[in-house]
Amino acid sequence: MDKEKETVTGQPQARPGNPLQQELIDLLQQASLFSGLDDATVLEVVRRGRLRLFAAGQTVFMQGDPSKGLHVVVHGRVKVYKSSPQGREQTLMIMGPGEPVGEVAALAGDPYPASAETLEPTETFYIMRDAFIDIIRSQPEVALRLLSALSARLRSFASLIEDLSLKGVTERLAVQLLSLAPGCPGEQTVELDISKTELAAAVGTVPETLSRAFQQLARAGALETKGRTVVIKDRSLLQRLAQAK
Amino acid sequence: MDKEKETVTGQPQARPGNPLQQELIDLLQQASLFSGLDDATVLEVVRRGRLRLFAAGQTVFMQGDPSKGLHVVVHGRVKVYKSSPQGREQTLMIMGPGEPVGEVAALAGDPYPASAETLEPTETFYIMRDAFIDIIRSQPEVALRLLSALSARLRSFASLIEDLSLKGVTERLAVQLLSLAPGCPGEQTVELDISKTELAAAVGTVPETLSRAFQQLARAGALETKGRTVVIKDRSLLQRLAQAK
DNA sequence: TGGCGAGCTTGACTTAAATCAAGGTTTGTC
DNA sequence: GACAAACCTTGATTTAAGTCAAGCTCGCCA
């Protein structure tokens, strides 16, 4: 697996614009940022951006890099994270198809406040900063949608802060698992879509501690695990275990 | 000091509109959310909101309350925080004059994701949700300003997450102190504008641990403290001590 | 001015979680 | 199908930070 990094300025691949434009328009209309806009507007957006391809594990941007534009994930997944000099990482969010990445930096023109890398082969639609600013200025609908995307993110950051500060690792893991499992009562099987090492970074801990947290939840009777498969045996118990320590 | 709490629905005080309108317009034009707007627009905003007065330590809203509108701090300060059942608190941010409070909930119409209380006697300008939505729809400028306010907040939340997850208490305290002190080199005196107990909640710890963190910084020669006065003796050392543990 | 109380500090102790080290398991590749 | 490389788990140890319990300091009010 080629893990060679690539700076923001490099262009992994740019597809020719014309034959695929309709496909792209369709894709962007799925994205919450642009959905519900008329074709002409989306066409304008498409004209001003381009597709970029990334291999699995490739860096999309690094914290501190100057921001030149923003990405909308077309398919694949992008992890946004902070890392310490000692090599520990805290995942801030994992963005999937339709979700924007790097828009905060693009808005302000500041350097990226965090790093981003792909978790799997990923394609993004990339819009340069100036074009993006034009679009939100001329399309109030887009600005409103962006506002609601940022609000949602603020809420999720606030609860991550709460959990990191006021809860223990086991509680945070329980929270995370509950958010992955769509929430019907009774037994329920969840297939993790990331490695446990990645899950540890998302929960804010190291793999060893994550492993012990899984043990604790299993010993309590809330779940069972086998590899990446998690069987939630007692959702309401798990909910109780997710409360502050 | 009357510490009696008051729900969001209660109205602490509503000033009569007319004679003070010009004063209010001036105040709002200072607020980053509305600055640079023409008088007519601001007048429209003023018409659709009202002033509210809060005593020191009074609850502005509680996490989970239904959100009815948003506040812009006119004077005083409001602390936004999360709290655990065990009574520990994590401060998310402290908002001063001109800054909006509760706008994320107001935008989405969701319950407040955190609680807020005043740190001192405070006056806010309060706009009901519907009026606020109207304003951002009809005033793209306001939407853009709100976007930049939310972006700034996201950046600060992201770095709080990073610090909580990847740094120790002493490092976080150093970060906090650096952000309070405007940043010229050489010796510098900072007067804390909150109690050390409040500072502990902002740094994400308890007063006992905060006290020991101050000791450590003092023993290292970075600063000296006396009551609420902090003398930064070696700013560059403090910056080094603020790096990840 | 004296005393009361909140806020702050200090010390001893406990607990949670990171680190270190090693062994086992899965996965993917040739 | 065998091997290597990640990935994951387990145990032992260390360290950071929270808790508990006093005692102190300072500002405020009677």
Side-chain angles (χ1 to χ4, degrees), chain B residues 51-68:
Chain B
L51 284 172
R52 291 181 61 180
L53 290 171
F54 296 89
Q58 197 179 353
T59 296
V60 178
F61 51 76
M62 290 285 288
Q63 171 162 5
D65 285 351
S67 131
K68 300 233 170 77

Side-chain angles (χ1 to χ4, degrees), chain B residues 196-197 208 211-212 215:
Chain B
K196 287 191 179 168
T197 301
E208 295 94 320
S211 181
R212 297 185 235 267
Q215 271 179 36

Side-chain angles (χ1 to χ4, degrees), chain A residues 195-197 208 211-212 215:
Chain A
S195 73
K196 288 191 178 168
T197 301
E208 295 95 317
S211 182
R212 297 186 235 268
Q215 271 180 38

